[in-house]
Amino acid sequence: MDDVKTEIEALREEIRKHDHLYYVEAAPRISDAAYDRLFQRLVELEEAQPELRTPDSPTQRVGADPVDFLPTVRHVVPMLSLDSTQDPDQVRRFHERIGRAIGGEPAFLLEPKLDGISIELVYRDGVLDRAVTRGNGIEGEGVTENVRTIPSVPLRLRGEAPSLLAVRGEILMRLSTFEALNEGLMEGGSEPYANPRNATSGAIRQLDPKVTASRPLECLAFDILEARGATFHTDTECVEALQGWGFLLPERIERVTEVDDILAYHRRYDEDRDTLDYEIDGIVIKLDDLDDRADLGSTSHHPRWALAYKFEPRKEITRIDRIGIQVGRTGVLTPVALLRPVEVGGVTVSRATLHNREELERKDVREGDRVRIQRAGDVIPQVVEVVPDDRERSEPFRMPDACPNCGTPVETRGPFTLCPNRFGCTAQLKGRIVHFASRGGLDIEGLGEETAALLVDREMVREPADLFHLDVEAVEALPGFAEKSARKLVEAIEKRRETELRRFLFGLGIPEVGATVARDLANHFQDLDTLLEADREALEAVRGIGPTMSELIVEFLSDEQNRHAIDRLAAEMKALTVDAPTGGPLEGQTFVFTGSLETMTRREARKRVEALGARATSSVSGETDVVVAGPGAGSKRKKAEELGVEILDEAAFLELLDQIAAETGTREEAGGP
Ligand code: IVH
């Protein structure tokens, strides 16, 4: 027994060493086959004696069962954000300001600013205890089991470990992984991710760790939030400690004193940006001395001792081969530049939206033009401007007179061009099917653009309700499908016969009804029939719905053809569920946030109150109950004063949240699943 235990421990040590060499040092010392033998031996020993299995064993990276939701977890130390700039003069001023404040020549550590998902890792007695996303900085989502699957995250620290260690890092997906993932998604008929950050976020927030494990991620550590029982004097020492514990760190960390060295570092990274296999969006400048950091302190949003110096968005020049027209689900014709494929920051782009007729005229973009395009992180770039060359230009582009899909004469509405053939135009139908099945709608896996196009073109689907009558054999006959994938699609659709009313409403594509309004409508009316019978007055009783929206909704719902499609769909559904009224402590209250907040963004603040049952809107009216006003609040604050609406500053707002938390005990869920 003791022999087995000794062997198990020796194997774990050995495997951890090779994991570190492979994933962190990128310098493997044994063959894959030799590694597999070690691993297999450990698996066998642990299987024979499961009582010897421990959570920090290398075999336990993917072990946990899927969960129903991700728990909310409070951070050990609030995770602040960074102040940022694109302006070198601001960097000079930052450098001077710090010099003045500490009364000497400061030294700084320079690092790349990684464009991924921020994460807090907590180790207790050297063993990974939990991983939490940044969330609103105070609390985030517990994603421990998912993060365990990332090979560069140590499950056990190397060497001597503090009793409690909280580390901050960034989770990334390599560009090569990202492109492969998107290709796979598109082949399977699903929507691709817009950028590696979204793909990372999607991977890390999975409910099933096995899905996360199938998407290779990396974690780079860059900050010690807390290390109980260890003392450091400089960030340089922290970096060394992190390396010693076995973390992967950002590349090319440098220590400098001169501002010119900071600017040069920024320039070098900017130049090399395209050769990296992951996205960075700038550099981070951090004061090295930790005592000085403590003296400078933080605002509630960011530390005063650090600054992110961001890059300009990437731009490349390419040529427009052709301008195409896309017809969307609402009938709007969008001009799209089909580009000679060009690499922009490691991602190949071949199309860019030209928005609408007015935009097109304003920029005077024509077929054959040389253009500068810009990608700010997303795969879909923008055309910035035409870059003149000696070639003779083609005629100015004109929007077509007829829908390129169905030939119906178009109508013009403001800057937009529309195909009025709502039910006969297959392009619009394809768009409606994709929207119906999208992540915010019924969320039908595997039903993306390509599949929707096939189903419509082969006349297997003439309206959304037809989806529920697809049979496996017919789908199997479609190009790109086999029996298994056909069955999967039909099952994915079948599963959605039971769905939330808010998703159903979103999926209908009612004008102006996005996810939020759909949820409000669902919560207010509680069932579809009551909503369908609602007149404008009844609709306007829903908070946030005014005369313009009520008119559009009534118009849509009373349209005979729409109504027929909705009735047919509703007949297919087994259940349209509604979240039980939250009974949240802020139920029925409407909040407006204005001015800048320090501890969180306005968006985060909105989410917080919504989670407690309140509504958050953007303008102050007679319906507003509370205005939270930070510095810089202007007209909204004034209006609130005029109307006698309660005004809270940020501190009072935080106090309110704390009070609710104390009363309901909602904030104290600790630990991962
Ligand atoms: S230091 C107190 N270093 O940037 C803040 N942050 O805008 C300490 N980030 O979400 C953070 N690369 O997760 C630091 N090398 C780096 C970073 C980095 C990326 C992220 C960070 C945060 C965001 C702030």
Side-chain angles (χ1 to χ4, degrees):
M1 170 78 193
D2 262 1
D3 283 355
V4 178
K5 207 169 163 192
T6 315
E7 184 181 355
I8 286 186
E9 256 148 36
L11 277 167
R12 286 180 188 159
E13 266 317 296
E14 186 73 5
I15 292 169
R16 281 189 195 116
K17 184 179 88 190
H18 291 297
D19 279 346
H20 181 79
L21 285 165
Y22 187 91
Y23 291 107
V24 178
E25 311 256 327
R29 256 187 237 150
I30 57 171
S31 68
D32 289 358
Y35 178 88
D36 290 345
R37 278 196 295 278
L38 290 173
F39 201 90
Q40 206 40 48
R41 174 76 185 147
L42 178 59
V43 169
E44 279 160 19
L45 291 178
E46 287 181 350
E47 257 163 24
Q49 275 171 305
E51 70 280 7
L52 294 180
R53 209 173 261 158
T54 59
D56 62 340
S57 170
T59 59
Q60 300 303 299
R61 286 208 179 260
V62 197
D65 292 328
V67 291
D68 293 329
F69 65 96
L70 299 170
T72 303
V73 183
R74 210 181 168 92
H75 292 295
V76 172
V77 182
M79 280 173 85
L80 298 183
S81 197
L82 282 172
D83 199 10
S84 79
T85 184
Q86 280 194 15
D87 178 0
D89 287 338
Q90 292 278 6
V91 176
R92 288 180 196 281
R93 256 173 258 142
F94 169 77
H95 185 266
E96 279 168 26
R97 179 156 30 91
I98 302 274
R100 265 199 314 276
I102 68 166
E105 180 164 89
F108 295 94
L109 281 202
L110 305 179
E111 290 173 3
K113 184 169 186 307
L114 311 160
D115 193 9
I117 295 296
S118 197
I119 193 88
E120 175 198 61
L121 303 174
V122 180
Y123 291 81
R124 286 183 200 279
D125 298 319
V127 178
L128 178 65
D129 181 48
R130 60 183 221 203
V132 188
T133 63
R134 177 166 183 276
N136 58 24
I138 309 285
E139 53 190 24
E141 285 174 316
V143 289
T144 316
E145 293 306 328
N146 295 340
V147 167
R148 293 173 67 85
T149 68
I150 303 173
S152 47
V153 171
L155 296 181
R156 164 180 283 281
L157 301 177
R158 295 158 69 85
E160 214 165 296
S163 61
L164 179 102
L165 176 71
V167 166
R168 181 166 179 173
E170 199 87 354
I171 300 184
L172 298 173
M173 183 179 286
R174 291 191 167 265
L175 289 168
S176 41
T177 308
F178 167 70
E179 292 217 320
L181 170 66
N182 265 357
E183 257 164 50
L185 285 174
M186 286 189 286
E187 268 165 29
S190 291
E191 290 284 296
Y193 285 101
N195 55 51
R197 188 176 357 92
N198 289 4
T200 307
S201 175
I204 214 64
R205 300 179 62 230
Q206 291 291 326
L207 298 175
D208 183 354
K210 288 189 189 64
V211 179
T212 311
S214 72
R215 302 187 181 169
L217 298 171
E218 234 158 273
C219 180
L220 296 140
F222 48 66
D223 196 25
I224 297 180
L225 292 160
E226 187 168 327
R228 209 165 282 166
T231 332
F232 302 105
H233 301 98
T234 60
D235 200 11
T236 308
E237 287 174 18
C238 294
V239 163
E240 280 160 12
L242 287 171
Q243 264 159 346
W245 285 319
F247 292 98
L248 183 63
L249 271 71
E251 287 174 73
R252 306 193 204 173
I253 300 178
E254 265 180 44
R255 184 174 184 278
V256 303
T257 54
E258 304 298 320
V259 73
D260 285 339
D261 292 333
I262 298 177
L263 303 180
Y265 183 87
H266 180 267
R267 207 174 315 117
R268 278 200 306 279
Y269 244 127
D270 200 359
E271 280 162 14
D272 294 351
R273 210 174 155 197
D274 290 352
T275 63
L276 302 176
D277 195 24
Y278 48 87
E279 299 255 32
I280 62 174
D281 56 356
I283 65 165
V284 185
I285 311 163
K286 305 177 189 177
L287 185 61
D288 192 29
D289 189 287
L290 302 186
D291 283 339
D292 289 342
R293 281 191 187 183
D295 288 346
L296 282 158
S298 305
T299 73
S300 38
H301 172 263
H302 62 259
R304 294 199 185 84
W305 42 260
L307 182 66
Y309 180 15
K310 297 235 208 171
F311 301 137
E312 301 275 338
R314 307 167 197 263
K315 297 189 175 98
E316 291 294 339
I317 291 179
T318 187
R319 201 174 285 284
I320 298 186
D321 280 333
R322 203 165 66 74
I323 296 177
I325 298 288
Q326 225 170 340
V327 185
R329 69 180 164 90
T330 57
V332 174
L333 271 58
T334 306
V336 178
L338 304 170
L339 307 166
R340 202 155 291 178
V342 59
E343 281 249 328
V344 194
V347 175
T348 308
V349 299
S350 53
R351 44 202 291 135
T353 172
L354 295 165
H355 302 286
N356 56 51
R357 193 190 65 255
E358 272 182 12
E359 266 294 294
L360 196 70
E361 281 167 10
R362 196 175 63 74
K363 287 185 179 152
D364 187 23
V365 177
R366 307 184 192 178
E367 291 189 335
D369 276 353
R370 228 161 44 120
V371 287
R372 195 182 318 278
I373 59 168
Q374 164 176 313
R375 186 173 80 84
D378 281 5
V379 174
I380 302 291
Q382 284 162 344
V383 174
V384 185
E385 58 189 355
V386 174
V387 183
D389 60 359
D390 321 328
R391 266 178 48 160
E392 198 177 320
R393 296 186 73 195
S394 60
E395 291 297 305
F397 183 80
R398 280 196 46 214
M399 290 297 280
D401 298 324
C403 172
N405 182 68
C406 68
T408 308
V410 298
E411 288 171 9
T412 303
R413 207 174 295 164
F416 301 108
T417 312
L418 286 134
C419 165
N421 182 15
R422 289 186 304 138
F423 288 90
C425 180
T426 52
Q428 296 185 45
L429 175 56
K430 287 173 193 171
R432 281 201 294 276
I433 301 289
V434 170
H435 182 76
F436 183 69
S438 68
R439 289 191 189 121
L442 263 63
D443 195 16
I444 299 172
E445 218 183 301
L447 185 46
E449 268 176 51
E450 268 179 75
T451 307
L454 284 171
L455 295 172
V456 171
D457 288 340
R458 313 236 159 171
E459 299 184 1
M460 291 160 69
V461 170
R462 291 192 173 85
E463 54 180 296
D466 295 336
L467 289 171
F468 292 100
H469 294 279
L470 290 175
D471 68 62
V472 176
E473 269 167 45
V475 177
E476 197 184 328
L478 293 174
F481 276 89
E483 198 206 317
K484 198 169 153 212
S485 48
R487 193 170 298 282
K488 243 176 100 179
L489 178 63
V490 172
E491 277 167 11
I493 297 170
E494 202 56 34
K495 226 167 60 188
R496 294 297 189 248
R497 282 189 193 270
E498 216 168 286
T499 199
E500 291 128 297
L501 179 57
R502 62 179 173 86
R503 290 184 172 279
F504 182 84
L505 295 177
F506 175 93
L508 294 179
I510 308 168
E512 301 290 320
V513 178
T516 309
V517 177
R519 191 200 56 205
D520 290 348
L521 286 171
N523 287 343
H524 185 92
F525 291 102
Q526 298 279 311
D527 68 72
L528 182 63
D529 289 336
T530 319
L531 167 63
L532 291 177
E533 277 156 30
D535 57 13
R536 288 187 58 187
E537 198 187 348
L539 283 167
E540 284 168 37
V542 180
R543 294 218 174 202
I545 295 188
T548 324
M549 247 155 109
S550 71
E551 189 179 346
L552 285 166
I553 297 173
V554 166
E555 196 188 318
F556 184 91
L557 295 180
S558 55
D559 177 281
E560 213 178 299
Q561 283 174 295
N562 283 341
R563 195 48 180 267
H564 174 78
I566 296 171
D567 288 344
R568 268 207 61 203
L569 253 183
E572 300 293 345
M573 308 303 288
K574 275 203 211 115
L576 290 174
T577 58
V578 183
D579 303 333
T582 63
L586 294 178
E587 170 108 67
Q589 303 232 35
T590 299
F591 279 68
V592 172
F593 294 91
T594 177
S596 57
L597 300 180
E598 305 227 297
T599 50
M600 57 187 96
T601 63
R602 284 207 293 269
R603 191 169 153 219
E604 285 161 356
R606 282 202 297 272
K607 284 204 169 156
R608 294 282 290 263
V609 297
E610 281 171 1
L612 297 168
R615 282 182 49 83
T617 62
S618 53
S619 59
V620 178
S621 72
E623 288 188 343
T624 312
D625 297 296
V626 181
V627 170
V628 178
S635 60
K636 290 186 192 175
R637 185 188 179 108
K638 224 166 120 206
K639 180 124 187 239
E641 280 166 2
E642 282 163 19
L643 293 171
V645 174
E646 181 177 3
I647 302 176
L648 300 180
D649 64 11
E650 186 170 0
F653 173 60
L654 290 174
E655 210 167 285
L656 173 72
L657 292 182
D658 273 347
Q659 202 183 325
I660 293 170
E663 278 161 18
T664 57
T666 45
R667 294 268 103 63
E668 293 311 315
E669 280 168 82

